[in-house]
Amino acid sequence: MTTETLLSGQAPTSTGEQQVTDAQAAPAVEPVENEAQGADAPAAEGQKEAEPVVPETYEFQLPEGFELNQEVSAEFQAFAKDLKLPQDKAQQAVDFAVKLQQQTLQAQVDAHVKQVADWRAEVEADKEIGGKALPENLSYAAKVLDEYAPDLRAVLDQTGMGNHPVLVKALIRIGKAISEDRLVG
């Protein structure tokens, strides 16, 4: 997940909002259509309902971007056999599990994006380093990153830590300490 942070070298915005890219959002789940679905339709009146067909091995279809964990799959297949689930019902359970996983991932992404935006707003509102003095103060932090840790900027952007108030303040203080002295008029 890559986001533009206060320390990415770009001019700060006054809104404090983080942009969410499509790459940050978890893919939407689309249930996989299975040819066996509908096989368990209710029996017509007077007919005895047939015993569900439990396959020897299940074959699950997952949405793009998901990989099947073989260990968990084997465990679930044994579970599905114990319940005598036909292929279509087992696939429905897998589809539901994928949906839950995607919702969990999206909630984590949303929480992280909010946290990074909150950090940014906190830095921008900080009485010591924020407000009108923020661009100048960020130039001190940029000097530290440029001279001593140019590769760190990408990591800070990727993780969102480039907006963390403690880190931003530390880099600004270090930048001021290593800067040339100025005459005070």
Side-chain angles (χ1 to χ4, degrees), residues 103-114:
Q103 288 175 347
T104 301
L105 289 172
Q106 187 60 49
Q108 291 174 341
V109 167
D110 292 346
H112 178 72
V113 167
K114 183 184 180 319

Side-chain angles (χ1 to χ4, degrees), residues 5-47:
T5 64
L6 290 168
L7 297 176
S8 64
Q10 303 297 323
T13 61
S14 59
T15 63
E17 294 180 7
Q18 271 308 108
Q19 295 293 324
V20 180
T21 64
D22 290 339
Q24 294 169 317
V29 67
E30 293 182 22
V32 177
E33 289 295 326
N34 193 325
E35 296 160 2
Q37 288 180 337
D40 62 329
E45 281 186 45
Q47 290 182 341

Side-chain angles (χ1 to χ4, degrees), residues 18 110-120 122 163-164:
Q18 271 308 108
D110 292 346
H112 178 72
V113 167
K114 183 184 180 319
Q115 180 66 68
V116 171
D118 290 349
W119 287 337
R120 182 182 190 114
E122 186 178 334
N163 282 349
H164 196 288

Side-chain angles (χ1 to χ4, degrees), residues 1-20 24 111-126 129-130 134 138 141-142 145 152-172:
M1 177 182 317
T2 303
T3 58
E4 185 177 298
T5 64
L6 290 168
L7 297 176
S8 64
Q10 303 297 323
T13 61
S14 59
T15 63
E17 294 180 7
Q18 271 308 108
Q19 295 293 324
V20 180
Q24 294 169 317
H112 178 72
V113 167
K114 183 184 180 319
Q115 180 66 68
V116 171
D118 290 349
W119 287 337
R120 182 182 190 114
E122 186 178 334
V123 168
E124 289 173 344
D126 189 274
I129 62 169
L134 185 61
L138 289 178
L145 292 173
L152 182 59
R153 189 180 308 257
V155 173
L156 296 175
D157 287 345
Q158 188 176 34
T159 62
M161 290 300 292
N163 282 349
H164 196 288
V166 173
L167 183 62
V168 173
K169 283 181 182 181
L171 289 173
I172 290 170

